């Protein structure tokens, strides 16, 4: 480990903080991160990415940047989603290592120091894993559990405690930025890129102010989106249905023919109706699944940018 051990105090850490309608949090977050990193004498910059907020988030970022020269800001032309914001921040970051954390201090900034020290010891990807999931409703927990078990299957990595709180070495970040797909799932892709990885546990904190951006609908969309971008399993379900129905068809066919030739074919109107309904709905369902993947291909081939930046605050240090 000592071969690539770095000298403490020289290597800059970029902290990427995506922010959407977080006006109440910007100053607190900037101050807290500043205090903690300065105390540990970690050279740093903060990159706030304002993801098309509808409140005064950008003004707050401007204020924070005037107060503290380590604060930089990116302003999106509209809301592009957290993954886009994370990507933009990483592309903008100038540090030797790059951390991503939430604006609401649910990811404890003290953990950044732990991650940074591990990076100094030569680790290239340091994943924050949730020691506990914080306060969530029962339904939310249930859905999260199902979602993560599917996604863990698809990626082959245990995702149940994964989070977006991570620190990456510059080399890993560059590889990450090279990924061509439009639909990025940061949580899983950071482990997909590989490199020397380790894990740091943290306790999810209560959100200090503002509210969570996730409605039930957006969570379902997030889940479906990420499952389909990481796995073709839903398409295989279609094939599976096909096989099951084929077997069923052969058996029923043999039975019907037998009945017919033995002279007591029943007037099976109910059977016909039931079969029609069943086959019809399975067909529609399958078409829907295939359609969903085609829509994803359509989205990807359009090659639109992941985000559009309309303003930049860059400190001139
Ligand atoms: N966020 C973002 N764009 C969005 C939604 C959220 O940049 O469209 C940011 C948000 O400001 C916060 C982080 O992503 O810094 C996590 O969001 P939130 O706290 O709402 O999610 P939760 O912690 O409830 O999962
Ligand atoms: Mg949060």
């Amino acid at each position: 480990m000592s071969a690539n051990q770095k000298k403490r105090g020289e290597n800059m850490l970029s902290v990427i903080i995506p922010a959407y309608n977080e006006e109440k949090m910007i100053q607190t977050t900037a101050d807290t991160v500043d205090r903690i990193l300065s105390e540990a004498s970690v050279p740093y910059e903060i990159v706030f990415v304002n993801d098309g907020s509808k409140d005064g988030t950008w003004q707050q970022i401007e204020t924070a940047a005037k107060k503290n020269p380590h604060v930089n800001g990116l302003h999106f032309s509209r809301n592009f989603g957290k993954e886009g914001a994370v990507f933009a921040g990483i592309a903008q970051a100038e540090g030797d290592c790059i951390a991503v954390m939430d604006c609401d201090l649910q990811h404890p900034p003290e953990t950044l120091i732990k991650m940074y020290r591990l990076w100094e010891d030569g680790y290239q990807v340091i994943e924050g894993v949730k020691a506990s999931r914080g306060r969530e409703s029962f339904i939310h927990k249930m859905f999260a559990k199902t979602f993560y078990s599917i996604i863990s299957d698809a990626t082959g990595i245990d995702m149940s405690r994964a989070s977006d709180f991570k620190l990456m070495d510059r080399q890993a970040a560059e590889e990450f930025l090279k990924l061509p797909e439009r639909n990025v799932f940061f949580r899983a892709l950071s482990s997909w890129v590989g490199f020397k990885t380790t894990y740091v546990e943290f306790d999810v904190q209560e959100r200090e102010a503002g509210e969570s951006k996730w409605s039930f609908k957006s969570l379902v969309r997030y889940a479906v989106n990420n499952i389909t971008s990481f796995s073709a399993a839903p398409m295989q379900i279609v094939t599976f249905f096909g096989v099951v129905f084929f077997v069923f068809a052969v058996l029923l066919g043999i039975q019907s023919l037998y009945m017919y030739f033995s002279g007591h074919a029943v007037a099976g109107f109910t059977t016909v109706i039931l079969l029609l309904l069943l086959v019809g709905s399975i067909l529609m369902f399958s078409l829907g699944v295939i359609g969903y993947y085609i829509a994803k291909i359509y989205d990807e081939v359009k090659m639109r940018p992941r985000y559009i930046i309309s303003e930049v605050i860059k400190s001139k240090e």
Side-chain angles (χ1 to χ4, degrees), residues 10-272:
E10 281 177 359
N11 302 294
M12 182 162 82
L13 163 70
S14 296
V15 184
I16 314 299
I17 309 181
Y20 176 56
N21 295 345
E22 303 277 10
E23 60 179 2
K24 294 199 194 97
M25 287 307 304
I26 301 287
Q27 303 306 334
T28 325
T29 306
D31 291 346
T32 315
V33 172
D34 172 56
R35 179 173 51 76
I36 290 169
L37 293 181
S38 303
E39 268 167 20
S41 10
V42 174
Y44 77 96
E45 63 163 357
I46 296 178
V47 183
F48 278 112
V49 185
N50 173 30
D51 186 12
S53 301
K54 293 181 181 62
D55 62 1
T57 301
W58 183 242
Q59 286 72 24
Q60 292 295 327
I61 296 174
E62 285 176 325
T63 316
K66 278 197 198 104
K67 217 169 75 187
N68 178 352
H70 299 292
V71 173
N72 302 308
L74 290 178
H75 183 46
F76 280 4
S77 61
R78 65 168 173 85
N79 180 250
F80 279 93
K82 184 180 177 184
E83 318 285 321
V86 167
F87 235 88
I90 295 177
Q92 172 80 14
E94 286 181 346
D96 304 292
C97 59
I98 299 164
V100 176
M101 65 177 267
D102 280 2
C103 195
D104 50 14
L105 293 179
Q106 283 188 295
H107 297 159
E110 295 80 14
T111 311
L112 282 175
I113 309 285
K114 258 194 238 164
M115 293 176 158
Y116 185 79
R117 299 296 176 220
L118 284 164
W119 173 74
E120 287 182 315
D121 289 343
Y123 288 101
Q124 289 178 291
V125 176
I126 296 111
E127 305 260 0
V129 293
K130 297 174 186 164
S132 63
R133 288 192 58 95
R135 199 153 10 107
E136 279 171 343
S137 72
F138 175 71
I139 305 260
H140 191 118
K141 277 211 168 81
M142 283 271 297
F143 267 95
K145 213 174 148 204
T146 322
F147 168 62
Y148 283 115
S149 69
I150 299 177
I151 215 88
S152 301
D153 271 358
T155 55
I157 307 155
D158 175 22
M159 296 283 302
S160 61
R161 299 192 303 152
S163 73
D164 285 341
F165 190 24
K166 308 173 190 290
L167 189 145
M168 286 195 267
D169 181 60
R170 165 111 334 247
Q171 192 188 1
E174 294 294 339
E175 290 306 325
F176 184 71
L177 290 177
K178 277 189 215 151
L179 298 175
E181 68 245 52
R182 304 293 104 187
N183 204 319
V184 282
F185 180 35
F186 181 57
R187 208 163 279 203
L189 280 175
S190 68
S191 42
W192 183 89
V193 296
F195 294 104
K196 199 172 169 211
T197 304
T198 189
Y199 302 88
V200 169
E201 284 202 344
F202 70 94
D203 282 304
V204 178
Q205 310 293 311
E206 287 291 310
R207 178 181 252 287
E208 291 206 358
E211 52 200 37
S212 172
K213 310 298 174 301
W214 296 98
S215 62
F216 181 68
K217 203 172 121 196
S218 65
L219 276 176
V220 172
R221 200 181 321 123
Y222 179 83
V224 173
N225 222 345
N226 289 318
I227 290 171
T228 50
S229 58
F230 248 93
S231 148
M235 294 251 248
Q236 276 134 27
I237 295 178
V238 173
T239 319
F240 172 77
F241 274 137
V243 172
V244 169
F245 268 74
F246 178 72
V247 173
F248 186 60
V250 169
L251 292 179
L252 205 69
I254 292 173
Q255 193 237 13
S256 305
L257 284 178
Y258 175 77
M259 296 289 248
Y260 177 78
F261 284 118
S262 60
H264 26 52
V266 278
F269 186 65
T270 317
T271 321
V272 171

